[in-house]
Amino acid sequence: MKINFQKGLTVIEILLTILIFTVVLTGVFNLFVTAIREQRRNLASQELLSQTGFLLEYMSRSIRMARKDLTGHCIAIRNNYEVIPGGIRFLNHEHRCQEFFLSGTQINKRKSTDHRAINFGSPLPLTSPRLTVAAFRIGPSFGWSQADTIQPRVTFFLDIKGPIPVGAERPEIMIQTSLSQRQLDVKR
């Protein structure tokens, strides 16, 4: 007596194998998509922090090196800073009038081309078009005065939104900082 066993798979076994394979493959695919989404979010956040860091450092350095305008060609005579619509104007270390201001959704800088602050050069953006500056506030409403006997200081607030990564939420940063000039300049 010879027993002949044929080896093979039943339809139920094949369907069960396909189902398990599909569940595992779906889990791996979802994990992959989630990892890509997180990577895009992290890259957008990194870009926002990098560009905001540059902006703060550049503006801080320029404002710290500002000088008192003794002639009144740039701002009010014997003042250090002046609030302009959407920004600030000051006499920089080169004795040229300089401005930082919000134009649309970007922070721009502009310098005078002469010492009398009559002619200004073209505005140069300090922020990338990929970023959106939602708010740039500066000035007296934040508590500085040039009429007191305290070192002149500037407080500014920035609300910047990062690039929009595909399939992830948009990063945002809000910063408020205060700075004063390096050169002691107290009215007496």
Side-chain angles (χ1 to χ4, degrees):
M1 184 161 54
K2 196 173 189 188
I3 301 176
N4 189 3
F5 289 105
Q6 292 201 2
K7 295 190 178 190
L9 297 173
T10 64
V11 173
I12 293 174
E13 290 172 331
I14 292 173
L15 289 176
L16 189 58
T17 302
I18 291 172
L19 178 67
I20 291 171
F21 180 73
T22 303
V23 168
V24 169
L25 191 60
T26 302
V28 169
F29 180 74
N30 285 338
L31 185 63
F32 182 70
V33 168
T34 301
I36 289 175
R37 185 177 296 132
E38 285 300 309
Q39 177 67 14
R40 286 180 179 162
R41 187 182 65 77
N42 287 338
L43 288 173
S45 294
Q46 183 179 13
E47 181 179 354
L48 173 64
L49 289 173
S50 175
Q51 289 193 35
T52 302
F54 166 77
L55 177 67
L56 285 173
E57 180 63 28
Y58 185 84
M59 289 174 55
S60 296
R61 184 178 302 144
S62 296
I63 290 171
R64 280 191 201 117
M65 293 173 59
R67 302 191 176 278
K68 183 183 291 282
D69 190 350
L70 299 174
T71 62
H73 290 301
C74 178
I75 57 177
I77 195 164
R78 302 199 50 80
N79 277 349
N80 300 295
Y81 313 107
E82 185 173 280
V83 176
I84 60 172
I88 186 170
R89 179 182 292 162
F90 56 93
L91 189 64
N92 70 13
H93 67 285
E94 301 169 322
H95 296 283
R96 296 193 186 273
C97 199
Q98 183 169 336
E99 299 175 341
F100 293 123
F101 59 96
L102 181 62
S103 177
T105 60
Q106 288 189 305
I107 300 286
N108 289 284
K109 80 168 190 171
R110 186 168 57 182
K111 288 183 186 178
S112 63
T113 57
D114 57 11
H115 290 286
R116 297 191 46 105
I118 296 171
N119 300 310
F120 276 88
S122 299
L124 297 171
L126 292 176
T127 53
S128 161
R130 291 175 42 86
L131 301 183
T132 301
V133 180
F136 176 51
R137 293 190 300 269
I138 194 161
S141 61
F142 286 133
W144 58 269
S145 169
Q146 298 180 79
D148 58 20
T149 58
I150 301 173
Q151 176 72 1
R153 61 200 174 281
V154 173
T155 300
F156 59 89
F157 171 81
L158 286 165
D159 180 2
I160 304 176
K161 294 176 181 9
I164 303 172
V166 178
E169 69 181 55
R170 188 174 196 180
E172 180 178 11
I173 188 166
M174 290 185 267
I175 297 176
Q176 180 174 327
T177 188
S178 295
L179 7 128
S180 63
Q181 291 177 268
R182 286 185 178 155
Q183 187 177 20
L184 189 59
D185 187 18
V186 178
K187 287 185 177 183
R188 296 189 181 175

